[in-house]
Amino acid sequence: MELTSVVTPGVESGVPHGACLTAFAEAVLGTDATALVAARQQVLAELGPAGLVDAAAVVATFMQMDRIADGAGIPLDAAFVEPTQEMRTRLGFNDFASAQNTLSVVT
């Protein structure tokens, strides 16, 4: 498996149906409904109904990781604290109860 494929468009991952699955994950996380429909249809064509369900479950699981981390009290990674400070303050994210997981570590 070629890990650089995750951050470098056009690099083949070596994962069966990797391009199709990457396009699906990006479409799920994006805002283009047309792209999502097309990506969903491509997964269905290449992997069948069970493959589509599995792919959707994997994407959903990864999306839940932040919520699980918040619930468990895991702080924001140190590398993200400083670069996001202004945005978190402006949008009120530091007022969320889960922000205390991070703020208590960095203050």
Side-chain angles (χ1 to χ4, degrees), residues 43-63:
V43 172
L44 187 59
E46 288 190 30
L47 300 171
L52 176 58
V53 170
D54 287 348
V58 169
V59 171
T61 298
F62 277 101
M63 291 176 73

PDB file of all heavy atoms in Angstrom, residues 43-63:
ATOM      1  N   VAL A  43     -19.218   3.273  -6.420  1.00  0.00           N
ATOM      2  CA  VAL A  43     -18.951   2.224  -5.423  1.00  0.00           C
ATOM      3  C   VAL A  43     -19.918   1.070  -5.632  1.00  0.00           C
ATOM      4  O   VAL A  43     -19.519  -0.102  -5.609  1.00  0.00           O
ATOM      5  CB  VAL A  43     -19.042   2.766  -3.977  1.00  0.00           C
ATOM      6  CG1 VAL A  43     -18.962   1.636  -2.957  1.00  0.00           C
ATOM      7  CG2 VAL A  43     -17.945   3.794  -3.722  1.00  0.00           C
ATOM      8  N   LEU A  44     -21.170   1.380  -5.848  1.00  0.00           N
ATOM      9  CA  LEU A  44     -22.175   0.344  -6.093  1.00  0.00           C
ATOM     10  C   LEU A  44     -21.820  -0.483  -7.323  1.00  0.00           C
ATOM     11  O   LEU A  44     -21.882  -1.716  -7.289  1.00  0.00           O
ATOM     12  CB  LEU A  44     -23.554   0.985  -6.251  1.00  0.00           C
ATOM     13  CG  LEU A  44     -24.746   0.053  -6.345  1.00  0.00           C
ATOM     14  CD1 LEU A  44     -24.859  -0.826  -5.102  1.00  0.00           C
ATOM     15  CD2 LEU A  44     -26.027   0.870  -6.517  1.00  0.00           C
ATOM     16  N   ALA A  45     -21.378   0.170  -8.389  1.00  0.00           N
ATOM     17  CA  ALA A  45     -21.014  -0.536  -9.622  1.00  0.00           C
ATOM     18  C   ALA A  45     -19.786  -1.418  -9.432  1.00  0.00           C
ATOM     19  O   ALA A  45     -19.724  -2.526  -9.960  1.00  0.00           O
ATOM     20  CB  ALA A  45     -20.771   0.470 -10.745  1.00  0.00           C
ATOM     21  N   GLU A  46     -18.791  -0.917  -8.679  1.00  0.00           N
ATOM     22  CA  GLU A  46     -17.545  -1.664  -8.522  1.00  0.00           C
ATOM     23  C   GLU A  46     -17.592  -2.703  -7.408  1.00  0.00           C
ATOM     24  O   GLU A  46     -16.975  -3.761  -7.517  1.00  0.00           O
ATOM     25  CB  GLU A  46     -16.380  -0.707  -8.259  1.00  0.00           C
ATOM     26  CG  GLU A  46     -15.976   0.104  -9.463  1.00  0.00           C
ATOM     27  CD  GLU A  46     -14.683   0.868  -9.252  1.00  0.00           C
ATOM     28  OE1 GLU A  46     -13.815   0.403  -8.476  1.00  0.00           O
ATOM     29  OE2 GLU A  46     -14.531   1.935  -9.875  1.00  0.00           O
ATOM     30  N   LEU A  47     -18.306  -2.395  -6.329  1.00  0.00           N
ATOM     31  CA  LEU A  47     -18.254  -3.256  -5.148  1.00  0.00           C
ATOM     32  C   LEU A  47     -19.580  -3.898  -4.775  1.00  0.00           C
ATOM     33  O   LEU A  47     -19.629  -4.726  -3.877  1.00  0.00           O
ATOM     34  CB  LEU A  47     -17.731  -2.457  -3.943  1.00  0.00           C
ATOM     35  CG  LEU A  47     -16.334  -1.874  -4.102  1.00  0.00           C
ATOM     36  CD1 LEU A  47     -16.010  -0.938  -2.962  1.00  0.00           C
ATOM     37  CD2 LEU A  47     -15.309  -2.975  -4.190  1.00  0.00           C
ATOM     38  N   GLY A  48     -20.658  -3.489  -5.429  1.00  0.00           N
ATOM     39  CA  GLY A  48     -21.963  -4.053  -5.137  1.00  0.00           C
ATOM     40  C   GLY A  48     -22.587  -3.452  -3.893  1.00  0.00           C
ATOM     41  O   GLY A  48     -21.971  -2.645  -3.185  1.00  0.00           O
ATOM     42  N   PRO A  49     -23.824  -3.864  -3.603  1.00  0.00           N
ATOM     43  CA  PRO A  49     -24.547  -3.299  -2.464  1.00  0.00           C
ATOM     44  C   PRO A  49     -23.840  -3.492  -1.116  1.00  0.00           C
ATOM     45  O   PRO A  49     -23.777  -2.571  -0.308  1.00  0.00           O
ATOM     46  CB  PRO A  49     -25.890  -4.038  -2.481  1.00  0.00           C
ATOM     47  CG  PRO A  49     -26.043  -4.514  -3.887  1.00  0.00           C
ATOM     48  CD  PRO A  49     -24.654  -4.788  -4.386  1.00  0.00           C
ATOM     49  N   ALA A  50     -23.311  -4.681  -0.886  1.00  0.00           N
ATOM     50  CA  ALA A  50     -22.625  -4.930   0.391  1.00  0.00           C
ATOM     51  C   ALA A  50     -21.370  -4.069   0.514  1.00  0.00           C
ATOM     52  O   ALA A  50     -21.056  -3.564   1.599  1.00  0.00           O
ATOM     53  CB  ALA A  50     -22.268  -6.405   0.526  1.00  0.00           C
ATOM     54  N   GLY A  51     -20.663  -3.867  -0.599  1.00  0.00           N
ATOM     55  CA  GLY A  51     -19.476  -3.020  -0.590  1.00  0.00           C
ATOM     56  C   GLY A  51     -19.819  -1.573  -0.305  1.00  0.00           C
ATOM     57  O   GLY A  51     -19.074  -0.875   0.395  1.00  0.00           O
ATOM     58  N   LEU A  52     -20.949  -1.106  -0.846  1.00  0.00           N
ATOM     59  CA  LEU A  52     -21.390   0.259  -0.575  1.00  0.00           C
ATOM     60  C   LEU A  52     -21.714   0.429   0.903  1.00  0.00           C
ATOM     61  O   LEU A  52     -21.313   1.417   1.521  1.00  0.00           O
ATOM     62  CB  LEU A  52     -22.601   0.619  -1.433  1.00  0.00           C
ATOM     63  CG  LEU A  52     -23.224   1.994  -1.173  1.00  0.00           C
ATOM     64  CD1 LEU A  52     -22.209   3.113  -1.382  1.00  0.00           C
ATOM     65  CD2 LEU A  52     -24.446   2.192  -2.056  1.00  0.00           C
ATOM     66  N   VAL A  53     -22.396  -0.527   1.473  1.00  0.00           N
ATOM     67  CA  VAL A  53     -22.722  -0.460   2.897  1.00  0.00           C
ATOM     68  C   VAL A  53     -21.444  -0.466   3.730  1.00  0.00           C
ATOM     69  O   VAL A  53     -21.296   0.331   4.672  1.00  0.00           O
ATOM     70  CB  VAL A  53     -23.658  -1.623   3.310  1.00  0.00           C
ATOM     71  CG1 VAL A  53     -23.804  -1.708   4.830  1.00  0.00           C
ATOM     72  CG2 VAL A  53     -25.022  -1.453   2.653  1.00  0.00           C
ATOM     73  N   ASP A  54     -20.509  -1.342   3.383  1.00  0.00           N
ATOM     74  CA  ASP A  54     -19.237  -1.389   4.119  1.00  0.00           C
ATOM     75  C   ASP A  54     -18.478  -0.072   4.004  1.00  0.00           C
ATOM     76  O   ASP A  54     -17.948   0.442   5.000  1.00  0.00           O
ATOM     77  CB  ASP A  54     -18.358  -2.529   3.610  1.00  0.00           C
ATOM     78  CG  ASP A  54     -18.855  -3.898   4.028  1.00  0.00           C
ATOM     79  OD1 ASP A  54     -19.745  -3.979   4.901  1.00  0.00           O
ATOM     80  OD2 ASP A  54     -18.341  -4.897   3.473  1.00  0.00           O
ATOM     81  N   ALA A  55     -18.415   0.495   2.804  1.00  0.00           N
ATOM     82  CA  ALA A  55     -17.695   1.757   2.607  1.00  0.00           C
ATOM     83  C   ALA A  55     -18.354   2.877   3.405  1.00  0.00           C
ATOM     84  O   ALA A  55     -17.663   3.676   4.052  1.00  0.00           O
ATOM     85  CB  ALA A  55     -17.656   2.112   1.119  1.00  0.00           C
ATOM     86  N   ALA A  56     -19.665   2.942   3.389  1.00  0.00           N
ATOM     87  CA  ALA A  56     -20.378   3.966   4.156  1.00  0.00           C
ATOM     88  C   ALA A  56     -20.147   3.781   5.652  1.00  0.00           C
ATOM     89  O   ALA A  56     -19.967   4.754   6.388  1.00  0.00           O
ATOM     90  CB  ALA A  56     -21.871   3.921   3.833  1.00  0.00           C
ATOM     91  N   ALA A  57     -20.107   2.548   6.100  1.00  0.00           N
ATOM     92  CA  ALA A  57     -19.873   2.281   7.525  1.00  0.00           C
ATOM     93  C   ALA A  57     -18.471   2.718   7.948  1.00  0.00           C
ATOM     94  O   ALA A  57     -18.289   3.271   9.040  1.00  0.00           O
ATOM     95  CB  ALA A  57     -20.078   0.798   7.825  1.00  0.00           C
ATOM     96  N   VAL A  58     -17.492   2.487   7.099  1.00  0.00           N
ATOM     97  CA  VAL A  58     -16.122   2.903   7.421  1.00  0.00           C
ATOM     98  C   VAL A  58     -16.031   4.427   7.500  1.00  0.00           C
ATOM     99  O   VAL A  58     -15.460   4.982   8.441  1.00  0.00           O
ATOM    100  CB  VAL A  58     -15.112   2.338   6.397  1.00  0.00           C
ATOM    101  CG1 VAL A  58     -13.741   2.972   6.569  1.00  0.00           C
ATOM    102  CG2 VAL A  58     -15.017   0.821   6.539  1.00  0.00           C
ATOM    103  N   VAL A  59     -16.616   5.125   6.520  1.00  0.00           N
ATOM    104  CA  VAL A  59     -16.594   6.589   6.542  1.00  0.00           C
ATOM    105  C   VAL A  59     -17.303   7.101   7.796  1.00  0.00           C
ATOM    106  O   VAL A  59     -16.796   7.984   8.496  1.00  0.00           O
ATOM    107  CB  VAL A  59     -17.237   7.175   5.265  1.00  0.00           C
ATOM    108  CG1 VAL A  59     -17.403   8.686   5.384  1.00  0.00           C
ATOM    109  CG2 VAL A  59     -16.409   6.825   4.038  1.00  0.00           C
ATOM    110  N   ALA A  60     -18.441   6.543   8.106  1.00  0.00           N
ATOM    111  CA  ALA A  60     -19.194   6.975   9.286  1.00  0.00           C
ATOM    112  C   ALA A  60     -18.406   6.730  10.571  1.00  0.00           C
ATOM    113  O   ALA A  60     -18.403   7.567  11.477  1.00  0.00           O
ATOM    114  CB  ALA A  60     -20.534   6.257   9.343  1.00  0.00           C
ATOM    115  N   THR A  61     -17.721   5.611  10.645  1.00  0.00           N
ATOM    116  CA  THR A  61     -16.933   5.300  11.828  1.00  0.00           C
ATOM    117  C   THR A  61     -15.828   6.325  12.035  1.00  0.00           C
ATOM    118  O   THR A  61     -15.615   6.818  13.147  1.00  0.00           O
ATOM    119  CB  THR A  61     -16.336   3.882  11.720  1.00  0.00           C
ATOM    120  OG1 THR A  61     -17.414   2.947  11.639  1.00  0.00           O
ATOM    121  CG2 THR A  61     -15.475   3.550  12.909  1.00  0.00           C
ATOM    122  N   PHE A  62     -15.131   6.674  10.960  1.00  0.00           N
ATOM    123  CA  PHE A  62     -14.072   7.665  11.090  1.00  0.00           C
ATOM    124  C   PHE A  62     -14.635   9.026  11.476  1.00  0.00           C
ATOM    125  O   PHE A  62     -14.010   9.776  12.235  1.00  0.00           O
ATOM    126  CB  PHE A  62     -13.234   7.748   9.819  1.00  0.00           C
ATOM    127  CG  PHE A  62     -12.174   6.699   9.768  1.00  0.00           C
ATOM    128  CD1 PHE A  62     -12.349   5.563   9.006  1.00  0.00           C
ATOM    129  CD2 PHE A  62     -11.005   6.821  10.498  1.00  0.00           C
ATOM    130  CE1 PHE A  62     -11.382   4.571   8.966  1.00  0.00           C
ATOM    131  CE2 PHE A  62     -10.023   5.845  10.470  1.00  0.00           C
ATOM    132  CZ  PHE A  62     -10.217   4.719   9.704  1.00  0.00           C
ATOM    133  N   MET A  63     -15.818   9.363  10.974  1.00  0.00           N
ATOM    134  CA  MET A  63     -16.421  10.648  11.326  1.00  0.00           C
ATOM    135  C   MET A  63     -16.785  10.695  12.809  1.00  0.00           C
ATOM    136  O   MET A  63     -16.820  11.763  13.410  1.00  0.00           O
ATOM    137  CB  MET A  63     -17.648  10.904  10.454  1.00  0.00           C
ATOM    138  CG  MET A  63     -17.290  11.159   8.991  1.00  0.00           C
ATOM    139  SD  MET A  63     -18.718  11.359   7.919  1.00  0.00           S
ATOM    140  CE  MET A  63     -19.264  12.990   8.417  1.00  0.00           C
TER     141      MET A  63
END
